[in-house]
Amino acid sequence: MRRATIALLALAALAATGAAAGHRSVRPPDAVVRPASAAEPLAGRIAWALGQAPKSTPGRAFWVGYSIDRLQGERSQIGWFDSGGPGRDLTIAEMLAGKTAAAPVAASDGEVVRKAAKAALDDLEKKGRPEKKVLRELGFFLKYEPGRSPVLAGMRMSNLDLSLDFEGLTLFWLGKSPEDQSLAFVEKLYGSAGHDDLRENLLAAAGCHGTPALVIPFLSGILSGNGPDEQRKNAAFWIGQQNDAEGLRLLVRAAKSDRSEEVREGAVFAVSQVELPAAVDEIIALARSAEKTDVRKQAVFWLGQMASEKSGKALEEFARKDGDAEIQEQAVFALSQLPDGQGVDALIKLAKTHPDPRIRKKAVFWLGECDDPRALETLVNIIKGK
């Protein structure tokens, strides 16, 4: 995911990298129960767990979990982790291995700070470079409440090398699942989910599967369906995370013609997140010729978050030649948002030569917000009348 993903809205809480502000309590399962055979299809293992749980844990809630293999960026994680202090919690993998306490980590305050500085330096050195993909296990954890038949109450996702609070309840661990069986199970749960929060988590779970040919048909059905706009917008986001040409085509169509402004804007954002060269061309095309003004403005905004030589050229063209003053102003702002000061030269030209004084004034304002020597020199010269 590229830089603009810092704006994942509520979706970030579901499946993005995150660090807790403070330490929270993590309670391992009181027992980890496994089926006799992990080779059985996932549906059979699920049925076993749901049949076994009421006998093993009568009257108590319980967890059912399994994992899939997923390619992820080497610096990314899905789930929760604690960033503070020298100690750490048990990881899920350690809990599954039967550990009851994490190994103590003795570190001085100075060592903690040095490690944090090294991590920050590593991030800076790798900035702008393609992130290496690594294979990690991604766990899906379903919490069931007791009843005549167990009732699904919630779902969490996490890489197994992170931690998760199992609240001291029993975990029925089913092992690894093929991706197609996992997605079929998630789709089934989505269709019967009893509340929006659960559907939102299940939608994210579907989107975190990594095979577009499996995922996109399910997500596209939600995007084009009659469900709430929030769910359809979330489906657009997860289609964008598949980085797939067919998914990109579906998103462009939704951006142009969906009945909901919320979904159209969500689709434009999703297009901006697709890591294919064609995505920049599609965003530029939407900014240039989409029928609806809200789509054009969103496309111009997200173009300013995309690190591409084409982005700066297109934004300067919109700022100078577009027939809509709002689009011109949006393009000036977007130039100021381009990574690594890529839009500064264009802003300088606009501040000096744009025929509309309102646009020159906007360009001057955003130059004042740039931490760039070229911007400062230009502002000084303008003040001197040069």
Side-chain angles (χ1 to χ4, degrees):
M1 301 180 189
R2 59 167 62 90
R3 186 171 68 96
T5 314
I6 56 173
L8 289 190
L9 310 178
L11 298 169
L14 295 175
T17 302
H23 195 82
R24 72 175 189 180
S25 174
V26 171
R27 293 158 287 181
D30 64 351
V32 177
V33 184
R34 293 173 168 85
S37 173
E40 186 178 2
L42 179 63
R45 285 178 274 163
I46 294 285
W48 168 82
L50 297 182
Q52 182 68 27
K55 296 180 255 182
S56 302
T57 60
R60 294 185 69 211
F62 60 93
W63 294 87
V64 175
Y66 67 91
S67 67
I68 63 172
D69 284 330
R70 186 180 191 275
L71 277 176
Q72 293 177 219
E74 63 178 338
R75 302 189 299 278
S76 71
Q77 289 281 20
I78 295 173
W80 175 89
F81 62 92
D82 176 27
S83 64
R88 66 173 181 85
D89 291 307
L90 280 168
T91 67
I92 298 169
E94 289 172 333
M95 295 178 194
L96 295 175
K99 291 188 178 182
T100 57
V105 179
S108 66
D109 290 345
E111 186 177 347
V112 171
V113 173
R114 283 193 295 274
K115 286 184 177 180
K118 184 179 184 305
L121 184 60
D122 287 345
D123 283 343
L124 286 172
E125 288 177 349
K126 293 173 181 176
K127 185 179 179 182
R129 283 190 263 160
E131 192 173 8
K132 180 183 175 183
K133 299 290 185 179
V134 295
L135 199 64
R136 286 199 174 102
E137 274 193 77
L138 175 62
F140 298 91
F141 299 94
L142 309 156
K143 185 180 180 183
Y144 286 88
E145 298 291 348
R148 283 189 176 179
S149 59
V151 177
L152 181 61
M155 181 180 187
R156 307 265 181 88
M157 288 184 294
S158 180
N159 292 123
L160 299 193
D161 55 353
L162 298 180
S163 191
L164 184 67
D165 181 15
F166 289 100
E167 307 167 57
L169 301 172
T170 298
L171 168 64
F172 291 84
W173 178 247
L174 307 181
K176 197 174 292 188
S177 168
E179 198 174 26
D180 59 341
Q181 294 180 26
S182 172
L183 186 59
F185 177 57
V186 170
E187 288 184 35
K188 181 180 177 182
L189 292 177
Y190 183 87
S192 59
H195 54 84
D196 287 345
D197 286 346
L198 181 54
R199 274 190 290 271
E200 189 173 346
N201 285 0
L202 290 165
L203 188 58
C208 281
H209 289 69
T211 303
L214 296 174
V215 177
I216 287 178
F218 170 60
L219 295 178
S220 65
I222 297 171
L223 175 60
S224 61
N226 297 318
D229 288 348
E230 182 70 18
Q231 288 176 21
R232 297 195 305 114
K233 182 182 76 171
N234 291 351
F237 170 80
W238 290 112
I239 289 173
Q241 297 304 301
Q242 292 294 309
N243 295 318
D244 177 76
E246 172 62 15
L248 179 60
R249 185 187 68 80
L250 293 170
L251 291 173
V252 170
R253 184 174 69 189
K256 288 180 177 178
S257 60
D258 194 89
R259 61 185 180 273
S260 162
E261 180 176 349
E262 180 181 3
V263 175
R264 290 195 301 270
E265 292 184 359
V268 175
F269 170 67
V271 170
S272 77
Q273 298 301 291
V274 175
E275 294 179 348
L276 296 175
V280 177
D281 295 328
E282 293 291 2
I283 284 284
I284 292 172
L286 288 170
R288 181 173 287 131
S289 59
E291 292 183 7
K292 299 182 183 297
T293 301
D294 65 287
V295 173
R296 296 188 64 215
K297 289 178 68 175
Q298 285 291 308
V300 168
F301 173 84
W302 289 115
L303 191 58
Q305 306 294 319
M306 301 174 79
S308 167
E309 185 178 343
K310 293 180 180 179
S311 300
K313 291 179 179 178
L315 288 172
E316 185 176 1
E317 178 188 338
F318 295 139
R320 194 173 291 280
K321 298 180 181 178
D322 198 273
D324 187 323
E326 285 189 43
I327 298 294
Q328 287 189 334
E329 292 185 7
Q330 183 82 310
V332 172
F333 167 72
L335 282 167
S336 74
Q337 300 299 297
L338 283 172
D340 303 320
Q342 294 175 24
V344 171
D345 286 339
L347 284 174
I348 290 171
K349 283 191 278 184
L350 292 169
K352 290 180 175 180
T353 65
H354 198 286
D356 188 335
R358 293 172 301 174
I359 301 301
R360 294 202 303 274
K361 184 178 177 181
K362 288 285 183 182
V364 166
F365 174 82
W366 289 114
L367 281 172
E369 299 296 309
C370 294
D371 184 16
D372 188 293
R374 293 169 295 170
L376 177 60
E377 181 182 357
T378 299
L379 294 175
V380 170
N381 289 336
I382 288 174
I383 291 171
K384 293 180 177 179
K386 295 183 180 179

